[in-house]
Amino acid sequence: MSYTLSPIGYVRSCFKEKFAIPRQPLLAPAAQGCIELLPPYDQADAIAGLEEVSHIWVIFLFHKTLENTPRLKVRPPRLGGNKSIGVFASRATHRPNGIGQSAVRLERAEAGRLWISGIDLLDGTPVLDIKPYVPYADSVPTAHNAIADSAPTRVQVGWQMIALQHAEQHAQRLEQPLVDLIEQCLAQDPRPAYQQPAPERIYGVRFYDVQVRWHYLTLTHIEVLEVSPA
Ligand code: SAM
């Protein structure tokens, strides 16, 4: 039996590519986005009361990793990319029906637009549903997960002076916390776990309309080299 689901909106996000997006929401509070709702959900009635809520669940499609063949096991990056576990024991992007869920901070709500932060969502992500976060029901103090028992370890993020100056200029132009976003996302150590990054290896990613480039001075110390128009 198949069912047809239609997006109720799309995410406009600071993240223009999958690389260097935090693995879960709220790991980078400076990651900002906006859900643009589609008719008829762009009317004020659909969000009446949402102003009473601090966080929302965004149920969405991993639209860039949809696949037809069922995948029973996955290799999550946090296990080094070489240990496989069952897809239902993971929050992997390759999963049945490609459905994701993220609890994000609701910054502001107006008819047709929800401003959110602490996101882990790629620009253009189709949104299937939005629900208010219910602390007494959604956070289980006694819960445990031995596979993902803590937030990923963070690395130190330093700057070459010229890169920091350019980042501050672009932050002002964009009116967005770009410096914090870069520091919070790179602190998540976004390189593939199996890679031993030599200093000459340059990494890059696009946030908003700027290209950010960095390298590793050591395994636990990133240096941002360049922030330039993409
Ligand atoms: N919090 C969600 C969940 O648990 O279902 C997502 C977790 S998943 C590990 C987070 C990753 O999904 C991000 O690091 C990013 O690389 C990827 N991602 C975000 N939006 C996506 C999209 N629209 N299509 C495919 N991958 C996406």
Side-chain angles (χ1 to χ4, degrees), residues 26-38:
L26 306 179
L27 290 173
Q32 316 261 339
C34 175
I35 299 174
E36 293 178 347
L37 295 170
L38 297 173

Side-chain angles (χ1 to χ4, degrees), residues 18 21-25 60-65 91-93 99-102 120-122 125-126:
K18 289 199 304 230
I21 300 181
R23 292 198 181 114
Q24 283 301 335
F60 63 92
L61 265 188
F62 287 113
H63 75 300
K64 289 295 184 191
T65 47
R91 299 288 279 266
T93 61
I99 291 177
Q101 63 182 77
S102 294
D120 57 345
L121 304 168
L122 182 63
T125 293

Side-chain angles (χ1 to χ4, degrees), residues 166-227:
H166 288 162
E168 284 163 346
Q169 289 161 8
H170 284 294
Q172 233 169 9
R173 172 180 63 85
L174 291 163
E175 295 177 355
Q176 293 290 353
L178 180 67
V179 173
D180 289 345
L181 176 68
I182 293 170
E183 288 182 348
Q184 291 167 7
C185 289
L186 299 196
Q188 302 291 319
D189 193 5
R191 71 186 155 84
Y194 55 81
Q195 256 173 25
Q196 297 300 318
E200 57 274 14
R201 186 186 189 110
I202 308 294
Y203 292 83
V205 75
R206 196 182 138 197
F207 292 150
Y208 296 109
D209 59 0
V210 297
Q211 187 68 22
V212 182
R213 284 194 177 80
W214 68 91
H215 70 160
Y216 283 74
L217 291 174
T218 68
L219 266 183
T220 58
H221 191 158
I222 279 176
E223 183 182 48
V224 182
L225 301 167
E226 185 190 329
V227 176

Side-chain angles (χ1 to χ4, degrees), residues 43-222:
Q43 297 171 54
D45 284 357
I47 59 165
L50 212 43
E51 65 282 357
E52 311 284 335
V53 168
S54 66
H55 291 72
I56 56 172
W57 284 108
V58 180
I59 293 97
F60 63 92
L61 265 188
F62 287 113
H63 75 300
K64 289 295 184 191
T65 47
L66 291 176
E67 51 191 14
N68 294 324
T69 44
R71 198 187 279 234
L72 304 184
K73 297 199 89 173
V74 291
R75 295 176 194 281
R78 77 172 290 152
L79 298 180
N82 45 23
K83 187 164 173 270
S84 70
I85 56 173
V87 64
F88 297 136
S90 83
R91 299 288 279 266
T93 61
H94 292 87
R95 55 186 324 106
N97 301 306
I99 291 177
Q101 63 182 77
S102 294
V104 298
R105 184 170 180 74
L106 177 62
E107 296 291 345
R108 188 158 57 95
E110 69 179 41
R113 279 202 171 78
L114 304 181
W115 279 269
I116 52 180
S117 67
I119 65 175
D120 57 345
L121 304 168
L122 182 63
D123 193 40
T125 293
V127 176
L128 300 174
D129 199 356
I130 293 162
K131 300 184 180 189
Y133 186 84
V134 179
Y136 82 85
D138 292 344
S139 69
V140 184
T142 54
H144 72 270
N145 177 335
I147 299 170
D149 56 358
S150 58
T153 40
R154 303 162 71 82
V155 297
Q156 236 185 313
V157 178
W159 295 80
Q160 284 206 350
M161 198 36 70
I162 188 69
L164 181 55
Q165 285 165 0
H166 288 162
E168 284 163 346
Q169 289 161 8
H170 284 294
Q172 233 169 9
R173 172 180 63 85
L174 291 163
E175 295 177 355
Q176 293 290 353
L178 180 67
V179 173
D180 289 345
L181 176 68
I182 293 170
E183 288 182 348
Q184 291 167 7
C185 289
L186 299 196
Q188 302 291 319
D189 193 5
R191 71 186 155 84
Y194 55 81
Q195 256 173 25
Q196 297 300 318
E200 57 274 14
R201 186 186 189 110
I202 308 294
Y203 292 83
V205 75
R206 196 182 138 197
F207 292 150
Y208 296 109
D209 59 0
V210 297
Q211 187 68 22
V212 182
R213 284 194 177 80
W214 68 91
H215 70 160
Y216 283 74
L217 291 174
T218 68
L219 266 183
T220 58
H221 191 158
I222 279 176

